[in-house]
Amino acid sequence: MCTDTNLTAGRPEYGDVLAWVVDAIVGVVTARLGAAVAKERLLLDLRFTGRQDVEALPASERWVLRTVAAFLAEDYVEAERSLIAARHRFDMTLRAETLADALIWLDFMLDVDLPDPPDVTTVGR
C-alpha cells in the first residue's frame, strides 16, 4: 500500500512499483506450483536454445530472473540488495526496461497453461 511518504508528485515511487510486480510474480509462481515445504526450496531451472545462458540475457531480464529466484529461494538478503540496486543505481533506460520485462514476465506467468495445484486445505478430507 502506498502512503504519502512513498509517493512522488502523487504517484508511487519506481522502487515500490517494481517491488509490487516482483512480489506478484513470486505469488503467481508459488500459487501455481505450490509453496515449498519445510526443508525444501523452489528453484528456477531455465532452458535456453543454443548456447545462451543467463549471463547472455540483457541486464534487465537478468535482474528480473535473479530477483525472483532470490525470493523463491527465500534469500531475502539478496532479494533486498537487488531491489535497492534497482531503486538507486539503475539509469532511466534500465529502469524502464526492467519494469517492462517484469510486467512481461508477470503477464506470461498469468497466461501459462499449468494445472492449478490441489487445494492443500481440502486434500485428505
Side-chain angles (χ1 to χ4, degrees):
M1 177 190 284
C2 293
T3 64
D4 289 337
T5 58
N6 60 358
L7 291 177
T8 305
R11 296 181 308 248
E13 290 184 4
Y14 170 80
D16 295 333
V17 174
L18 187 60
W20 180 88
V21 175
V22 168
D23 184 60
I25 294 168
V26 171
V28 170
V29 170
T30 302
R32 300 303 289 282
L33 301 178
V37 294
K39 298 187 181 184
E40 287 185 348
R41 293 175 28 182
L42 289 175
L43 300 174
L44 291 178
D45 183 19
L46 298 178
R47 307 293 167 107
F48 294 94
T49 57
R51 296 179 163 242
Q52 188 178 30
D53 64 2
V54 173
E55 294 305 318
L57 294 173
S60 57
E61 292 176 25
R62 256 191 340 264
W63 184 92
V64 174
L65 173 64
R66 287 183 174 154
T67 304
V68 168
F71 275 109
L72 290 173
E74 297 180 356
D75 185 352
Y76 300 119
V77 171
E78 177 60 24
E80 185 62 25
R81 184 205 60 75
S82 187
L83 287 170
I84 289 169
R87 283 186 183 116
H88 301 293
R89 292 195 284 266
F90 287 7
D91 64 26
M92 191 63 71
T93 301
L94 186 53
R95 283 177 159 219
E97 290 170 347
T98 302
L99 184 56
D101 285 334
L103 287 167
I104 289 167
W105 194 358
L106 176 58
D107 181 60
F108 174 78
M109 294 304 299
L110 289 168
D111 287 341
V112 123
D113 188 24
L114 289 174
D116 289 328
D119 184 351
V120 179
T121 60
T122 62
V123 172
R125 287 189 180 180

